[in-house]
Amino acid sequence: MMMSESRKHITEYLKKGLRLDGRKLDEFREVSVEYGISKNAEGSARVKIGGTEVLAGVKLNIGTPYSDRPDEGTLMVGVELYPLASPEFESGPPSIDSIELARVVDRGIREAGAIDNKALCIEKGEKIWIVSVDICPINDEGNLFDAAGLAAIAAIMDAKFPKVEKDGTVNYKEKTKNSLPIKKRPIPVTVWRIGNELIVDPINEEEKSADARLTIASLSDGIICALQKGGDATLTVEDVDKMTDLALVKAKELRSKLGGKAK
Amino acid sequence: MSYTKRVDGRKSFTELRPITAKAGVIARADGSAYFKIGNTAAYAAVYGPRELHPRNKQIPTRGLLRCDYVMMPFSGMGDRVRPGPNRRAKEISMVTQKALDPVLDLQDYPNAVVDVFICLPETDAGSRCAGICAASIALADAGVPMKDLICAVSTGQVGDKVVVDLDYAEEAYSDGPVSDIPVAMIPSTGELTLLQMDGEISKKDLMEALKLVKESMNEIYEVQKNALKEKYPAGGDDDE
Amino acid sequence: MSGLTINDKDVVVPGEVLAEGMDYLPSHGTYRLDNTIRAGKLGLARIDGKVIKIIPLSGVYSPRRNDVIICKVFDVLMSGWRVNTFTPYSAMLSMKDGTNEFIMKGANLTKYHKIGDYIMCKVVNVTSQRLIDVTMKGPGLRKLDNGRFIRVNSHKVPRIIGKQGSMVSMVKNATGCRILVGQNGVVWVSGEPEMEILAIETIKKVEKESHVSGLTDAIKVFLEEKTGKKLETKAEEKSEPEGEQQ
């Protein structure tokens, strides 16, 4: 296991086109997606990127709509950074890191209109479906942003509506064959700047040495649907240009890992 | 009405649901394990012995064991489990700590802490027991000195039968009295480190239940042992 | 012999029965329970005559006097530095032990070692409350600049160093890297980037396959394949068993 590498050392490697583990600058570790990993969830998935492992689950409940959107269901995305996954996560109320992670993933899915909220309406003004997506990292070896985003989409793709009885109660023990009304499948890719070099899929040590990052969520047609800049340093417009190009290429690779489910 | 056939089709009343266990599943932790019984699954990660903060919790004569149990929001049938402080989880964290501590020897780690984190992605009754089983394997994996593993499973009564390893359907049985008794045990001595009960049971049936569950503990110990031995193959010499 | 329920070098788990009857004696990591001897931790059971002990396979490193370890400075004080030993206990490096130079009274010690510096040092003393003193005075002890640091299981350190340094020397020769192995499981590797990566990959391989016999040969083959160069096996390497020099 590696420790906090000096930024100087990492930049020397990057100048030679090398990462700390021998990868190229634009190379992802091995990515895998597994569906249906938790039977009680209406939908679930496990994503591994290298040693980083994340579980995501979808819960569906019937509730009342917001008064200003009486014909729309709701989607909420949460992230739990349990101390189980890393010696750097602490118990207690959500840290700003977990909040940022949740908001970035949420932005990439909800704001991008991944789910047709209107199709979640059961009875206008009265009853709608509430879709809750929860993402739980099990082991953090870097790049939780992309792993979490991919896991969330996979869990949403895996989800099936439970049976609703004639009297309106939900029978969670029986699943229907109906999937969620998915309109788009946004995939986030975070590009990190260390000095003058750009990398994707960092390990923990690289994340700590980075100057700035940009998370870019995109759709299958190459349209960008969410952006979030993070990190203490600045990004130039040229940086953004190069980062989005890289992200769009990588998103295509990640998208292929989702497999033949849905579209 | 008599309870004649188990809801999930198990042949005997003392039969455990299928179990899988694996050690070393969380690379960043010092020790870790996954333990699944039926549809109840638990991950456990151990960090430590490590420095303990805050200072006022430090014990100068030995290390401290700290346990934290949490269910993932999507783990249960039906409603989502809202994240955040949860009394039930806090109580389970405490009884888990009390269930594991008696076999640990933390004398060599004054002022330090061994943290055990348990998370469940899937629950179908018997969750605190699965957590304790996973935590046991994880503590051994982390090299913590312990005189034995801890085995845990529920026993109890469904209708007129004493059973071992109740699943959710049996806990919810409505055609007769039900008691759910989570038990944790030191397998080498038979001593109990966890004993709780929800429901109703006669004294006679209680003693019968405790007798039956003891045999199941050996089965669980074998699974935990194999999980550790799979991760640590026996080996050759240090020299060539 | 009768009484034993396991073989020498079996991996055993806590609570496992190692021997029955009163013929055998429990030693490090084992204990007697009624008529049995049992394992008190996960490890390798070793039988030496009538004595059974456990060699641990995992667990935190316990600092011992004279061990050479790699630490990281995390605090600078008036009288010295506090260093992270990568155990639950930090260590104190006093001013006089931190450097051979003459230090003016009231000088800013950051000049000599600052927070984040890695140092190779020797354990001078460990109290019962685990207060540890270390020194940098001694052959080979110094600050470690450049290079990369990785952490390995401290119980695998002897295997990584090898008999009389044979394993680590082989890795050094094949990669041209300088490698120092601390008893606390912290390893420093310094060389060309590609070679650092190979050295680290090799060390992790040794750590993972430490139980395999014939490992030195397997690692030799691995290194030759990766570098495309043949390695001479140096029979005896004159080096200290703890930390290697240059």
Side-chain angles (χ1 to χ4, degrees), chain A residues 2-6, chain C residues 70-73 84 86 113-121 136 142-150 186-188:
Chain A
M2 290 184 263
M3 296 156 68
S4 52
E5 305 283 0
S6 77
Chain C
I70 296 177
C71 301
K72 189 175 178 183
V73 177
N84 182 356
F86 302 98
H113 304 302
K114 57 190 195 307
I115 293 179
D117 280 350
Y118 282 87
I119 57 167
M120 189 130 199
C121 54
M136 282 175 70
R142 65 188 196 278
K143 182 150 54 184
L144 299 172
D145 291 318
N146 305 310
R148 294 174 58 173
F149 296 89
I150 60 166
V186 179
V187 180
W188 176 74

PDB file of all heavy atoms in Angstrom, chain A residues 2-6, chain C residues 70-73 84 86 113-121 136 142-150 186-188:
ATOM      1  N   MET A   2       0.501   2.215  -0.787  1.00  0.00           N
ATOM      2  CA  MET A   2       1.361   3.402  -0.904  1.00  0.00           C
ATOM      3  C   MET A   2       0.994   4.476   0.099  1.00  0.00           C
ATOM      4  O   MET A   2      -0.051   4.461   0.698  1.00  0.00           O
ATOM      5  CB  MET A   2       1.298   3.939  -2.331  1.00  0.00           C
ATOM      6  CG  MET A   2       1.995   2.995  -3.312  1.00  0.00           C
ATOM      7  SD  MET A   2       2.023   3.654  -4.973  1.00  0.00           S
ATOM      8  CE  MET A   2       0.612   2.814  -5.650  1.00  0.00           C
ATOM      9  N   MET A   3       1.882   5.405   0.269  1.00  0.00           N
ATOM     10  CA  MET A   3       1.638   6.453   1.250  1.00  0.00           C
ATOM     11  C   MET A   3       1.618   7.798   0.534  1.00  0.00           C
ATOM     12  O   MET A   3       1.634   7.861  -0.662  1.00  0.00           O
ATOM     13  CB  MET A   3       2.737   6.395   2.294  1.00  0.00           C
ATOM     14  CG  MET A   3       2.658   5.061   3.033  1.00  0.00           C
ATOM     15  SD  MET A   3       4.205   4.572   3.748  1.00  0.00           S
ATOM     16  CE  MET A   3       4.365   5.793   4.990  1.00  0.00           C
ATOM     17  N   SER A   4       1.612   8.876   1.284  1.00  0.00           N
ATOM     18  CA  SER A   4       1.454  10.162   0.612  1.00  0.00           C
ATOM     19  C   SER A   4       2.707  10.500  -0.183  1.00  0.00           C
ATOM     20  O   SER A   4       3.731  10.857   0.359  1.00  0.00           O
ATOM     21  CB  SER A   4       1.155  11.265   1.622  1.00  0.00           C
ATOM     22  OG  SER A   4       2.119  11.249   2.636  1.00  0.00           O
ATOM     23  N   GLU A   5       2.621  10.348  -1.482  1.00  0.00           N
ATOM     24  CA  GLU A   5       3.755  10.613  -2.348  1.00  0.00           C
ATOM     25  C   GLU A   5       3.923  12.089  -2.541  1.00  0.00           C
ATOM     26  O   GLU A   5       2.958  12.819  -2.576  1.00  0.00           O
ATOM     27  CB  GLU A   5       3.494   9.964  -3.712  1.00  0.00           C
ATOM     28  CG  GLU A   5       3.198   8.477  -3.623  1.00  0.00           C
ATOM     29  CD  GLU A   5       4.430   7.653  -3.398  1.00  0.00           C
ATOM     30  OE1 GLU A   5       5.514   8.229  -3.317  1.00  0.00           O
ATOM     31  OE2 GLU A   5       4.310   6.420  -3.292  1.00  0.00           O
ATOM     32  N   SER A   6       5.141  12.518  -2.704  1.00  0.00           N
ATOM     33  CA  SER A   6       5.339  13.938  -2.877  1.00  0.00           C
ATOM     34  C   SER A   6       4.866  14.334  -4.267  1.00  0.00           C
ATOM     35  O   SER A   6       5.017  13.595  -5.229  1.00  0.00           O
ATOM     36  CB  SER A   6       6.804  14.300  -2.684  1.00  0.00           C
ATOM     37  OG  SER A   6       7.515  13.931  -3.855  1.00  0.00           O
TER      38      SER A   6
ATOM     39  N   ILE C  70      11.509   3.223   9.500  1.00  0.00           N
ATOM     40  CA  ILE C  70      11.334   4.452   8.727  1.00  0.00           C
ATOM     41  C   ILE C  70      10.139   5.193   9.293  1.00  0.00           C
ATOM     42  O   ILE C  70       9.050   4.636   9.393  1.00  0.00           O
ATOM     43  CB  ILE C  70      11.127   4.148   7.230  1.00  0.00           C
ATOM     44  CG1 ILE C  70      12.376   3.487   6.659  1.00  0.00           C
ATOM     45  CG2 ILE C  70      10.789   5.418   6.451  1.00  0.00           C
ATOM     46  CD1 ILE C  70      12.273   3.079   5.194  1.00  0.00           C
ATOM     47  N   CYS C  71      10.362   6.442   9.701  1.00  0.00           N
ATOM     48  CA  CYS C  71       9.306   7.244  10.329  1.00  0.00           C
ATOM     49  C   CYS C  71       9.077   8.535   9.566  1.00  0.00           C
ATOM     50  O   CYS C  71       9.872   8.919   8.720  1.00  0.00           O
ATOM     51  CB  CYS C  71       9.710   7.610  11.756  1.00  0.00           C
ATOM     52  SG  CYS C  71      10.009   6.190  12.791  1.00  0.00           S
ATOM     53  N   LYS C  72       7.973   9.204   9.906  1.00  0.00           N
ATOM     54  CA  LYS C  72       7.635  10.455   9.239  1.00  0.00           C
ATOM     55  C   LYS C  72       7.436  11.538  10.289  1.00  0.00           C
ATOM     56  O   LYS C  72       6.682  11.344  11.251  1.00  0.00           O
ATOM     57  CB  LYS C  72       6.357  10.256   8.439  1.00  0.00           C
ATOM     58  CG  LYS C  72       6.001  11.405   7.524  1.00  0.00           C
ATOM     59  CD  LYS C  72       4.787  11.040   6.686  1.00  0.00           C
ATOM     60  CE  LYS C  72       4.379  12.210   5.793  1.00  0.00           C
ATOM     61  NZ  LYS C  72       3.182  11.933   5.027  1.00  0.00           N
ATOM     62  N   VAL C  73       8.084  12.675  10.114  1.00  0.00           N
ATOM     63  CA  VAL C  73       7.990  13.776  11.071  1.00  0.00           C
ATOM     64  C   VAL C  73       6.596  14.396  10.988  1.00  0.00           C
ATOM     65  O   VAL C  73       6.121  14.739   9.901  1.00  0.00           O
ATOM     66  CB  VAL C  73       9.040  14.857  10.765  1.00  0.00           C
ATOM     67  CG1 VAL C  73       8.896  16.033  11.725  1.00  0.00           C
ATOM     68  CG2 VAL C  73      10.444  14.271  10.855  1.00  0.00           C
ATOM     69  N   ASN C  84       5.909   9.855  13.324  1.00  0.00           N
ATOM     70  CA  ASN C  84       4.926   8.800  13.135  1.00  0.00           C
ATOM     71  C   ASN C  84       5.685   7.509  12.829  1.00  0.00           C
ATOM     72  O   ASN C  84       6.454   7.455  11.883  1.00  0.00           O
ATOM     73  CB  ASN C  84       4.030   9.197  11.955  1.00  0.00           C
ATOM     74  CG  ASN C  84       2.927   8.195  11.694  1.00  0.00           C
ATOM     75  OD1 ASN C  84       2.838   7.149  12.336  1.00  0.00           O
ATOM     76  ND2 ASN C  84       2.061   8.515  10.742  1.00  0.00           N
ATOM     77  N   PHE C  86       4.110   4.636  12.315  1.00  0.00           N
ATOM     78  CA  PHE C  86       3.155   3.760  11.626  1.00  0.00           C
ATOM     79  C   PHE C  86       2.755   2.600  12.521  1.00  0.00           C
ATOM     80  O   PHE C  86       2.546   1.471  12.087  1.00  0.00           O
ATOM     81  CB  PHE C  86       3.688   3.314  10.257  1.00  0.00           C
ATOM     82  CG  PHE C  86       3.987   4.504   9.404  1.00  0.00           C
ATOM     83  CD1 PHE C  86       5.281   4.978   9.306  1.00  0.00           C
ATOM     84  CD2 PHE C  86       2.964   5.208   8.794  1.00  0.00           C
ATOM     85  CE1 PHE C  86       5.558   6.143   8.574  1.00  0.00           C
ATOM     86  CE2 PHE C  86       3.226   6.357   8.059  1.00  0.00           C
ATOM     87  CZ  PHE C  86       4.525   6.823   7.954  1.00  0.00           C
ATOM     88  N   HIS C 113      14.837  19.143  10.239  1.00  0.00           N
ATOM     89  CA  HIS C 113      13.812  18.211   9.773  1.00  0.00           C
ATOM     90  C   HIS C 113      12.489  18.927   9.850  1.00  0.00           C
ATOM     91  O   HIS C 113      12.170  19.528  10.875  1.00  0.00           O
ATOM     92  CB  HIS C 113      13.741  16.959  10.657  1.00  0.00           C
ATOM     93  CG  HIS C 113      15.048  16.231  10.793  1.00  0.00           C
ATOM     94  ND1 HIS C 113      15.742  15.742   9.716  1.00  0.00           N
ATOM     95  CD2 HIS C 113      15.779  15.930  11.896  1.00  0.00           C
ATOM     96  CE1 HIS C 113      16.843  15.154  10.147  1.00  0.00           C
ATOM     97  NE2 HIS C 113      16.894  15.256  11.465  1.00  0.00           N
ATOM     98  N   LYS C 114      11.713  18.854   8.753  1.00  0.00           N
ATOM     99  CA  LYS C 114      10.431  19.524   8.812  1.00  0.00           C
ATOM    100  C   LYS C 114       9.290  18.512   8.725  1.00  0.00           C
ATOM    101  O   LYS C 114       9.514  17.329   8.424  1.00  0.00           O
ATOM    102  CB  LYS C 114      10.312  20.570   7.706  1.00  0.00           C
ATOM    103  CG  LYS C 114      10.512  20.013   6.319  1.00  0.00           C
ATOM    104  CD  LYS C 114      10.624  21.140   5.302  1.00  0.00           C
ATOM    105  CE  LYS C 114      10.462  20.611   3.894  1.00  0.00           C
ATOM    106  NZ  LYS C 114      11.372  19.494   3.571  1.00  0.00           N
ATOM    107  N   ILE C 115       8.097  19.018   8.977  1.00  0.00           N
ATOM    108  CA  ILE C 115       6.920  18.148   8.962  1.00  0.00           C
ATOM    109  C   ILE C 115       6.778  17.532   7.573  1.00  0.00           C
ATOM    110  O   ILE C 115       6.864  18.214   6.561  1.00  0.00           O
ATOM    111  CB  ILE C 115       5.661  18.951   9.335  1.00  0.00           C
ATOM    112  CG1 ILE C 115       5.770  19.373  10.802  1.00  0.00           C
ATOM    113  CG2 ILE C 115       4.395  18.127   9.111  1.00  0.00           C
ATOM    114  CD1 ILE C 115       4.616  20.200  11.292  1.00  0.00           C
ATOM    115  N   GLY C 116       6.606  16.227   7.533  1.00  0.00           N
ATOM    116  CA  GLY C 116       6.462  15.520   6.268  1.00  0.00           C
ATOM    117  C   GLY C 116       7.733  14.799   5.839  1.00  0.00           C
ATOM    118  O   GLY C 116       7.696  13.966   4.938  1.00  0.00           O
ATOM    119  N   ASP C 117       8.869  15.137   6.482  1.00  0.00           N
ATOM    120  CA  ASP C 117      10.122  14.456   6.143  1.00  0.00           C
ATOM    121  C   ASP C 117      10.070  13.005   6.613  1.00  0.00           C
ATOM    122  O   ASP C 117       9.567  12.701   7.689  1.00  0.00           O
ATOM    123  CB  ASP C 117      11.307  15.134   6.840  1.00  0.00           C
ATOM    124  CG  ASP C 117      11.756  16.394   6.115  1.00  0.00           C
ATOM    125  OD1 ASP C 117      11.283  16.644   4.992  1.00  0.00           O
ATOM    126  OD2 ASP C 117      12.580  17.132   6.691  1.00  0.00           O
ATOM    127  N   TYR C 118      10.668  12.134   5.784  1.00  0.00           N
ATOM    128  CA  TYR C 118      10.798  10.735   6.183  1.00  0.00           C
ATOM    129  C   TYR C 118      12.228  10.509   6.658  1.00  0.00           C
ATOM    130  O   TYR C 118      13.180  10.981   6.025  1.00  0.00           O
ATOM    131  CB  TYR C 118      10.535   9.805   4.996  1.00  0.00           C
ATOM    132  CG  TYR C 118       9.072   9.635   4.661  1.00  0.00           C
ATOM    133  CD1 TYR C 118       8.433  10.519   3.802  1.00  0.00           C
ATOM    134  CD2 TYR C 118       8.331   8.591   5.209  1.00  0.00           C
ATOM    135  CE1 TYR C 118       7.093  10.364   3.495  1.00  0.00           C
ATOM    136  CE2 TYR C 118       6.990   8.421   4.902  1.00  0.00           C
ATOM    137  CZ  TYR C 118       6.379   9.314   4.048  1.00  0.00           C
ATOM    138  OH  TYR C 118       5.050   9.152   3.735  1.00  0.00           O
ATOM    139  N   ILE C 119      12.391   9.793   7.744  1.00  0.00           N
ATOM    140  CA  ILE C 119      13.735   9.524   8.253  1.00  0.00           C
ATOM    141  C   ILE C 119      13.910   8.034   8.548  1.00  0.00           C
ATOM    142  O   ILE C 119      12.951   7.337   8.907  1.00  0.00           O
ATOM    143  CB  ILE C 119      14.025  10.314   9.552  1.00  0.00           C
ATOM    144  CG1 ILE C 119      12.973   9.965  10.608  1.00  0.00           C
ATOM    145  CG2 ILE C 119      14.046  11.806   9.282  1.00  0.00           C
ATOM    146  CD1 ILE C 119      13.340  10.432  11.991  1.00  0.00           C
ATOM    147  N   MET C 120      15.162   7.609   8.380  1.00  0.00           N
ATOM    148  CA  MET C 120      15.499   6.240   8.777  1.00  0.00           C
ATOM    149  C   MET C 120      16.144   6.357  10.142  1.00  0.00           C
ATOM    150  O   MET C 120      17.110   7.114  10.303  1.00  0.00           O
ATOM    151  CB  MET C 120      16.491   5.651   7.789  1.00  0.00           C
ATOM    152  CG  MET C 120      16.716   4.166   8.022  1.00  0.00           C
ATOM    153  SD  MET C 120      16.536   3.284   6.489  1.00  0.00           S
ATOM    154  CE  MET C 120      16.266   1.635   7.072  1.00  0.00           C
ATOM    155  N   CYS C 121      15.590   5.676  11.137  1.00  0.00           N
ATOM    156  CA  CYS C 121      16.099   5.856  12.492  1.00  0.00           C
ATOM    157  C   CYS C 121      16.099   4.528  13.243  1.00  0.00           C
ATOM    158  O   CYS C 121      15.581   3.514  12.750  1.00  0.00           O
ATOM    159  CB  CYS C 121      15.256   6.887  13.244  1.00  0.00           C
ATOM    160  SG  CYS C 121      13.499   6.501  13.241  1.00  0.00           S
ATOM    161  N   MET C 136      18.838   9.171  15.102  1.00  0.00           N
ATOM    162  CA  MET C 136      19.344   9.108  13.744  1.00  0.00           C
ATOM    163  C   MET C 136      20.861   8.988  13.748  1.00  0.00           C
ATOM    164  O   MET C 136      21.496   9.087  12.699  1.00  0.00           O
ATOM    165  CB  MET C 136      18.924  10.353  12.964  1.00  0.00           C
ATOM    166  CG  MET C 136      17.475  10.258  12.508  1.00  0.00           C
ATOM    167  SD  MET C 136      16.915  11.746  11.715  1.00  0.00           S
ATOM    168  CE  MET C 136      17.842  11.681  10.205  1.00  0.00           C
ATOM    169  N   ARG C 142      19.468   8.233   8.248  1.00  0.00           N
ATOM    170  CA  ARG C 142      19.464   9.556   7.623  1.00  0.00           C
ATOM    171  C   ARG C 142      18.070   9.921   7.151  1.00  0.00           C
ATOM    172  O   ARG C 142      17.155   9.111   7.192  1.00  0.00           O
ATOM    173  CB  ARG C 142      20.417   9.566   6.440  1.00  0.00           C
ATOM    174  CG  ARG C 142      19.978   8.631   5.297  1.00  0.00           C
ATOM    175  CD  ARG C 142      21.073   8.557   4.248  1.00  0.00           C
ATOM    176  NE  ARG C 142      20.628   8.015   2.992  1.00  0.00           N
ATOM    177  CZ  ARG C 142      20.506   6.734   2.739  1.00  0.00           C
ATOM    178  NH1 ARG C 142      20.769   5.848   3.671  1.00  0.00           N
ATOM    179  NH2 ARG C 142      20.119   6.316   1.540  1.00  0.00           N
ATOM    180  N   LYS C 143      17.969  11.155   6.666  1.00  0.00           N
ATOM    181  CA  LYS C 143      16.710  11.583   6.055  1.00  0.00           C
ATOM    182  C   LYS C 143      16.602  10.939   4.675  1.00  0.00           C
ATOM    183  O   LYS C 143      17.599  10.756   3.988  1.00  0.00           O
ATOM    184  CB  LYS C 143      16.734  13.112   5.925  1.00  0.00           C
ATOM    185  CG  LYS C 143      15.457  13.667   5.340  1.00  0.00           C
ATOM    186  CD  LYS C 143      15.143  15.058   5.848  1.00  0.00           C
ATOM    187  CE  LYS C 143      16.259  16.047   5.665  1.00  0.00           C
ATOM    188  NZ  LYS C 143      15.894  17.344   6.281  1.00  0.00           N
ATOM    189  N   LEU C 144      15.390  10.608   4.265  1.00  0.00           N
ATOM    190  CA  LEU C 144      15.187   9.978   2.972  1.00  0.00           C
ATOM    191  C   LEU C 144      14.489  10.948   2.035  1.00  0.00           C
ATOM    192  O   LEU C 144      13.298  11.213   2.163  1.00  0.00           O
ATOM    193  CB  LEU C 144      14.360   8.692   3.133  1.00  0.00           C
ATOM    194  CG  LEU C 144      15.003   7.619   4.017  1.00  0.00           C
ATOM    195  CD1 LEU C 144      14.033   6.480   4.272  1.00  0.00           C
ATOM    196  CD2 LEU C 144      16.284   7.095   3.381  1.00  0.00           C
ATOM    197  N   ASP C 145      15.272  11.511   1.114  1.00  0.00           N
ATOM    198  CA  ASP C 145      14.687  12.421   0.134  1.00  0.00           C
ATOM    199  C   ASP C 145      14.420  11.678  -1.149  1.00  0.00           C
ATOM    200  O   ASP C 145      14.976  10.630  -1.399  1.00  0.00           O
ATOM    201  CB  ASP C 145      15.678  13.550  -0.192  1.00  0.00           C
ATOM    202  CG  ASP C 145      15.844  14.466   0.978  1.00  0.00           C
ATOM    203  OD1 ASP C 145      14.809  14.791   1.612  1.00  0.00           O
ATOM    204  OD2 ASP C 145      16.982  14.841   1.281  1.00  0.00           O
ATOM    205  N   ASN C 146      13.613  12.241  -1.996  1.00  0.00           N
ATOM    206  CA  ASN C 146      13.254  11.597  -3.271  1.00  0.00           C
ATOM    207  C   ASN C 146      12.688  10.221  -3.017  1.00  0.00           C
ATOM    208  O   ASN C 146      12.477   9.805  -1.903  1.00  0.00           O
ATOM    209  CB  ASN C 146      14.477  11.474  -4.207  1.00  0.00           C
ATOM    210  CG  ASN C 146      15.122  12.802  -4.417  1.00  0.00           C
ATOM    211  OD1 ASN C 146      14.462  13.775  -4.742  1.00  0.00           O
ATOM    212  ND2 ASN C 146      16.431  12.862  -4.203  1.00  0.00           N
ATOM    213  N   GLY C 147      12.472   9.488  -4.037  1.00  0.00           N
ATOM    214  CA  GLY C 147      11.982   8.136  -3.871  1.00  0.00           C
ATOM    215  C   GLY C 147      10.543   8.051  -3.441  1.00  0.00           C
ATOM    216  O   GLY C 147       9.870   9.059  -3.230  1.00  0.00           O
ATOM    217  N   ARG C 148      10.073   6.834  -3.339  1.00  0.00           N
ATOM    218  CA  ARG C 148       8.682   6.563  -2.981  1.00  0.00           C
ATOM    219  C   ARG C 148       8.667   5.687  -1.752  1.00  0.00           C
ATOM    220  O   ARG C 148       9.625   4.962  -1.476  1.00  0.00           O
ATOM    221  CB  ARG C 148       7.991   5.808  -4.128  1.00  0.00           C
ATOM    222  CG  ARG C 148       7.862   6.611  -5.372  1.00  0.00           C
ATOM    223  CD  ARG C 148       7.313   5.775  -6.478  1.00  0.00           C
ATOM    224  NE  ARG C 148       6.002   5.214  -6.124  1.00  0.00           N
ATOM    225  CZ  ARG C 148       5.242   4.546  -6.968  1.00  0.00           C
ATOM    226  NH1 ARG C 148       5.653   4.356  -8.204  1.00  0.00           N
ATOM    227  NH2 ARG C 148       4.072   4.058  -6.600  1.00  0.00           N
ATOM    228  N   PHE C 149       7.553   5.772  -1.039  1.00  0.00           N
ATOM    229  CA  PHE C 149       7.404   4.960   0.161  1.00  0.00           C
ATOM    230  C   PHE C 149       6.192   4.061   0.006  1.00  0.00           C
ATOM    231  O   PHE C 149       5.140   4.508  -0.445  1.00  0.00           O
ATOM    232  CB  PHE C 149       7.215   5.870   1.380  1.00  0.00           C
ATOM    233  CG  PHE C 149       8.406   6.723   1.650  1.00  0.00           C
ATOM    234  CD1 PHE C 149       8.529   7.968   1.053  1.00  0.00           C
ATOM    235  CD2 PHE C 149       9.416   6.274   2.473  1.00  0.00           C
ATOM    236  CE1 PHE C 149       9.644   8.753   1.282  1.00  0.00           C
ATOM    237  CE2 PHE C 149      10.531   7.049   2.716  1.00  0.00           C
ATOM    238  CZ  PHE C 149      10.652   8.286   2.119  1.00  0.00           C
ATOM    239  N   ILE C 150       6.344   2.812   0.358  1.00  0.00           N
ATOM    240  CA  ILE C 150       5.163   1.953   0.416  1.00  0.00           C
ATOM    241  C   ILE C 150       5.144   1.266   1.776  1.00  0.00           C
ATOM    242  O   ILE C 150       6.159   1.219   2.477  1.00  0.00           O
ATOM    243  CB  ILE C 150       5.137   0.873  -0.691  1.00  0.00           C
ATOM    244  CG1 ILE C 150       6.346  -0.060  -0.592  1.00  0.00           C
ATOM    245  CG2 ILE C 150       5.055   1.495  -2.066  1.00  0.00           C
ATOM    246  CD1 ILE C 150       6.168  -1.312  -1.437  1.00  0.00           C
ATOM    247  N   VAL C 186       7.720  -0.101   6.535  1.00  0.00           N
ATOM    248  CA  VAL C 186       7.788   1.007   5.578  1.00  0.00           C
ATOM    249  C   VAL C 186       9.009   0.772   4.691  1.00  0.00           C
ATOM    250  O   VAL C 186      10.097   0.479   5.184  1.00  0.00           O
ATOM    251  CB  VAL C 186       7.918   2.363   6.293  1.00  0.00           C
ATOM    252  CG1 VAL C 186       8.004   3.497   5.272  1.00  0.00           C
ATOM    253  CG2 VAL C 186       6.728   2.570   7.219  1.00  0.00           C
ATOM    254  N   VAL C 187       8.809   0.868   3.375  1.00  0.00           N
ATOM    255  CA  VAL C 187       9.883   0.598   2.424  1.00  0.00           C
ATOM    256  C   VAL C 187      10.104   1.830   1.562  1.00  0.00           C
ATOM    257  O   VAL C 187       9.152   2.440   1.083  1.00  0.00           O
ATOM    258  CB  VAL C 187       9.518  -0.606   1.522  1.00  0.00           C
ATOM    259  CG1 VAL C 187      10.639  -0.889   0.520  1.00  0.00           C
ATOM    260  CG2 VAL C 187       9.233  -1.839   2.366  1.00  0.00           C
ATOM    261  N   TRP C 188      11.381   2.184   1.378  1.00  0.00           N
ATOM    262  CA  TRP C 188      11.743   3.340   0.525  1.00  0.00           C
ATOM    263  C   TRP C 188      12.386   2.815  -0.733  1.00  0.00           C
ATOM    264  O   TRP C 188      13.247   1.934  -0.693  1.00  0.00           O
ATOM    265  CB  TRP C 188      12.716   4.220   1.293  1.00  0.00           C
ATOM    266  CG  TRP C 188      13.276   5.396   0.544  1.00  0.00           C
ATOM    267  CD1 TRP C 188      12.637   6.551   0.220  1.00  0.00           C
ATOM    268  CD2 TRP C 188      14.609   5.540   0.066  1.00  0.00           C
ATOM    269  NE1 TRP C 188      13.488   7.406  -0.416  1.00  0.00           N
ATOM    270  CE2 TRP C 188      14.712   6.819  -0.537  1.00  0.00           C
ATOM    271  CE3 TRP C 188      15.739   4.720   0.094  1.00  0.00           C
ATOM    272  CZ2 TRP C 188      15.895   7.286  -1.104  1.00  0.00           C
ATOM    273  CZ3 TRP C 188      16.919   5.189  -0.471  1.00  0.00           C
ATOM    274  CH2 TRP C 188      16.981   6.462  -1.066  1.00  0.00           C
TER     275      TRP C 188
END
